[in-house]
Amino acid sequence: MTSAISLRPTATDVADVPVLEVDGLAVAYRGPEGFQRVVHEVSLRVRPGEVVALVGESGSGKTTTAQAVIGLLAENGRLEGGAIRLNGTDVAGWSQKRLDGIRGQKISLIPQDPTSSLNPVKTIGAQVAEVLQIHRQGSRAEIGARVIELLTRVGLSQPELRAKQYPHELSGGMRQRVLIAIAIALRPALIIADEPTSALDVTVQKRILDLIDELRREDGTAVLLVTHDLGVAADRANHIVVLKGGRIQEQGPTAEVLAAPRSEYTRQLLADAPSLGKTRSAARSKPVHIGPRRDAIVVENLVQDFAVGGREVFRALAGVSFTVRRGTTHAIVGESGSGKTTTARSIVGFQKPTAGRILVDGIDVTSLRGENLRRFRKTIQLVYQNPFASLDPRQTIFQIVEEPLLNFDPLPRDDRARKVEAILDRVGLPPAVLTRRPHALSGGQRQRVAIARALVLDPQVLVLDEAVSALDVTVQAQILTLLDELQQALGLTYLFISHDLAVVRQISDTVSVLHNGRLVDGGAVEDVFQRPGSPYTRELIAAIPGGRNLDPRSFR
Amino acid sequence: MSRYVIGRIGQAALVLWAAFTVSFILLQALPGDAILIKFLNPELGLGPEQIADIRAAYAADSPLPVQYLHTVANFLTGNFGYSIHAGVPVGDLILANLPQTLWLASLGFLLSVVVAVALAALSALAPFSWLRAFIQSIPALFISTPVFWLGILLIQIFSFQLRLIPVINPGPWQALVLPVLTLAVPISAPLAQILMRNIDHVLTEPFVAVARAKGASHRWVLWKHVAKNAVLPTLTIGGILFGELLAGAVVTEAVFGLNGLGGLTQRSVNDQDVAVLQAIVVFSAGAFVLINLTVDLLYPVFDPRLRVKQGAVA
């Protein structure tokens, strides 16, 4: 804990003149009914060497505020009031041309998604060099040398090679390092980090945040950190600003906001944030057992190969085994490329395993063909990550939930309607949504529809593939509660695929940790978390944000 | 050679073969008979036996599969047969008419690219949104313009009213001005639209925001980041539009009375000169395939993401 505090700047290296002072900021977007204000009266200050976190859920105005500061609002956005003082100079009224002179030099940006934030047809070296060229920093040779120096500084191996490579040849984490190199190239006074790690795996996330921390301390740069993750803010910021609906709910020193939140909304956020929260599995009532205790899913020595470019074979899964007891939740955890989604697809029967056995409810999935496979799908249903993409925008909610029924045993129309209405009620949606289409629903409501669609066939097993990852924390908490209730009431078995260990710890009974297609750890959740059996699991657990701060349970 | 290149060349050969076969079947299915049309003319005074001899010389009465294999073999050896109507080798006919069409098509395509790029650049640089909306609506006007109507309108204005270009015996360049313009306008429209849409799309990419955050001006971003990314998907469409260009040439040459492949096609259709039509179809398909093959092979040069696959196999 002492090391945690020393990582944050101490009072001595935080000077008093703010680098950034936002005063009464108001921003509006042009919509069908004229300009609509989305940021109201936002005021904050960032002093040299300080990290200020802007925290909020989607639509809170946190990104808009950050965009306004760097003068890069979307085309339909406009500043409607307030001052943005950079080192004392108000830049709020400046033209784009004038702002070009300070962007990159005095104020820079680390963007959210490293995969799409680099130009795919230009080399890494050219894109780092560009910021130096725009601000005319030295000759060609000097710029070339500086590029290599910067790439080395952000921890990229073989910088000369990297400079000649194209973005697609680098991993997500490496690309984010390149973007950081661009942001620090001219030693700006302020860096805006807009969700800099939300698109990255948790272990990569930790390394990138550590890097930003280190560079900030060495150069004394101020950072405005935009994040939806309260855990990240708790670990990295001196000062937290909580936004909701474009208004500041509260702000103050990190420790104060976490220990004694003044606003109701912050308290809610803190309670819902899985990384800061309690482990729910301890509080969970024991899973119900219906009839004799049976295993819902048995996976034995599952191997899955994929052909890549002709004769080469890529082994996505190399002998994975686990069992899931009926009425319990089993989580499959891993980073991208670990094989967790491949496992799920094999269990649902979307692909034939290369070797191994999968029993679902006593039925060997690998031997099913044609009509039997189709029938089997009734017992196991999927809920996908993105509730915006997994619902047909042209169907009404009624049609969406009704569709699975039409694919299986034909029921009379009235029975179908009753069944749809009952299941929507079950997932907590009012009957009024029946005639609406997905676009008229919020993200949380859509995910409820997706769950209703999965449940309408009375399945035994629900595969939840990152089913809450795209949701805001408060919505996420509601959906997790709903899933818990449904499990208690219907005796469902969940297979919970996730990269988010904090959520996994909350919801699961047992867990399998996958790494490069191999099972590296497994067993009861608390056992794995308390006594991780592999170095990889330990690294994963250490990387969960929010752990670095005061133990949240100590002041609960 | 890499697998990518071999694959593309294989596809090109397949397309050529398909074009040949389909056109062969369609031309054979046409009612009427070119030989009868020509030689039954009473002025020639040929008897039925002589006509039968001529038919035998053309192998017109042998079974279709035999004719098909015969023609395939001939085409493969570069022998395109004889024109039934003119009695000269089809290869010579095409070569004689080719230069005119080649000039018309390449100048027309060049002009359409220039017009499309100019419109897209103007719209991207337009300082006001109403001006941009106006520029972006121009291609829709172009696309709905029929080639024959535009040609006649241009002749009316430039030749008869302004008297800039003589209708009778214009110089070789003067003769091309109006046809090229007629051909270019409708082709430039879809190119411009796709280019504009691509530019708008690329401008919303996060890497553009990153470039702006580096302090790059709007012009710098357009030139250094947007241009190449927006042109890449347009290449494919350019290749496909080339086919449109050949079709447009037929009508344009007819309207302006030019002696090109278009004119030859028109005359051969009137005469039902199957041998010439067959060769023209294969020749056009060949040109189309060649252009698109070039586009496909150029892609890895412009887009580094396509180079990896190639390199991994090579």
Side-chain angles (χ1 to χ4, degrees), chain A residues 29 54 60-68 73 112 194-195 226 243:
Chain A
Y29 285 121
L54 269 180
S60 64
K62 58 186 192 301
T63 294
T64 301
T65 304
Q67 285 170 337
L73 283 174
Q112 172 165 18
D194 185 3
E195 304 267 14
V226 178
L243 280 173

Side-chain angles (χ1 to χ4, degrees), chain A residues 97-234:
Chain A
K97 203 173 169 186
R98 223 173 146 195
L99 286 167
D100 285 340
I102 58 163
R103 278 195 288 249
Q105 194 156 36
K106 303 265 177 267
I107 176 171
S108 67
L109 174 77
I110 301 174
Q112 172 165 18
D113 180 7
T115 51
S116 57
S117 292
L118 288 167
N119 189 336
V121 299
K122 296 185 86 168
T123 61
I124 299 299
Q127 300 192 55
V128 179
E130 190 180 19
V131 65
L132 303 167
Q133 286 158 357
I134 290 169
H135 297 283
R136 299 178 203 289
Q137 301 283 319
S139 68
R140 237 185 132 126
E142 282 164 7
I143 287 179
R146 182 95 177 99
V147 166
I148 302 299
E149 196 184 306
L150 282 165
L151 293 178
T152 316
R153 178 122 197 259
V154 294
L156 282 169
S157 59
Q158 298 176 275
E160 284 87 4
L161 171 69
R162 303 290 171 234
K164 288 190 206 99
Q165 284 181 310
Y166 287 92
H168 69 271
E169 296 170 88
L170 272 58
S171 70
M174 285 157 84
R175 286 186 232 187
Q176 194 60 295
R177 284 175 194 269
V178 173
L179 287 156
I180 292 172
I182 294 170
I184 61 162
L186 295 173
R187 294 171 179 271
L190 176 69
I191 295 177
I192 292 178
D194 185 3
E195 304 267 14
T197 56
S198 341
L200 302 172
D201 278 331
V202 59
T203 52
V204 185
Q205 170 178 44
K206 180 167 183 298
R207 278 178 233 135
I208 294 290
L209 289 172
D210 285 347
L211 173 67
I212 296 176
D213 251 356
E214 185 192 316
L215 296 170
R216 177 192 56 73
R217 262 180 299 125
E218 284 169 16
D219 291 354
T221 315
V223 176
L224 183 63
L225 175 69
V226 178
T227 181
H228 70 282
D229 191 334
L230 211 51
V232 168

Side-chain angles (χ1 to χ4, degrees), chain A residues 38-103:
Chain A
V38 292
V39 170
H40 313 260
E41 293 293 317
V42 166
S43 303
L44 56 95
R45 41 178 64 188
V46 189
R47 280 182 285 266
E50 195 180 38
V51 180
V52 172
L54 269 180
V55 180
E57 301 184 274
S58 40
S60 64
K62 58 186 192 301
T63 294
T64 301
T65 304
Q67 285 170 337
V69 168
I70 196 168
L72 289 176
L73 283 174
E75 206 177 341
N76 61 341
R78 113 184 148 190
L79 272 181
E80 294 208 320
I84 300 166
R85 281 187 283 276
L86 272 176
N87 286 328
T89 316
D90 186 4
V91 300
W94 282 21
S95 69
Q96 285 296 323
K97 203 173 169 186
R98 223 173 146 195
L99 286 167
D100 285 340
I102 58 163
R103 278 195 288 249

Side-chain angles (χ1 to χ4, degrees), chain A residues 285-361:
Chain A
S285 46
K286 284 278 156 241
V288 280
H289 296 297
I290 302 160
R293 211 181 72 182
R294 273 195 2 219
D295 289 332
I297 305 172
V298 179
V299 174
E300 281 172 8
N301 212 9
L302 183 63
V303 176
Q304 185 79 54
D305 289 342
F306 291 111
V308 277
R311 272 153 289 172
E312 268 181 85
V313 164
F314 170 68
R315 181 148 287 191
L317 289 177
V320 170
S321 309
F322 58 86
T323 47
V324 185
R325 240 183 261 152
R326 210 166 167 168
T328 68
T329 302
H330 182 78
I332 301 181
V333 177
E335 305 195 314
S336 34
S338 61
K340 55 187 194 299
T341 297
T342 306
T343 310
R345 290 180 58 86
S346 301
I347 292 171
V348 219
F350 281 170
Q351 64 205 9
K352 289 273 165 250
T354 312
R357 210 159 71 110
I358 301 167
L359 298 179
V360 175
D361 215 22

Side-chain angles (χ1 to χ4, degrees), chain A residues 478-493:
Chain A
Q478 289 160 12
I479 296 289
L480 289 175
T481 310
L482 170 71
L483 287 172
D484 207 20
E485 281 166 20
L486 290 170
Q487 186 168 52
Q488 307 285 336
L490 306 172
L492 291 167
T493 307

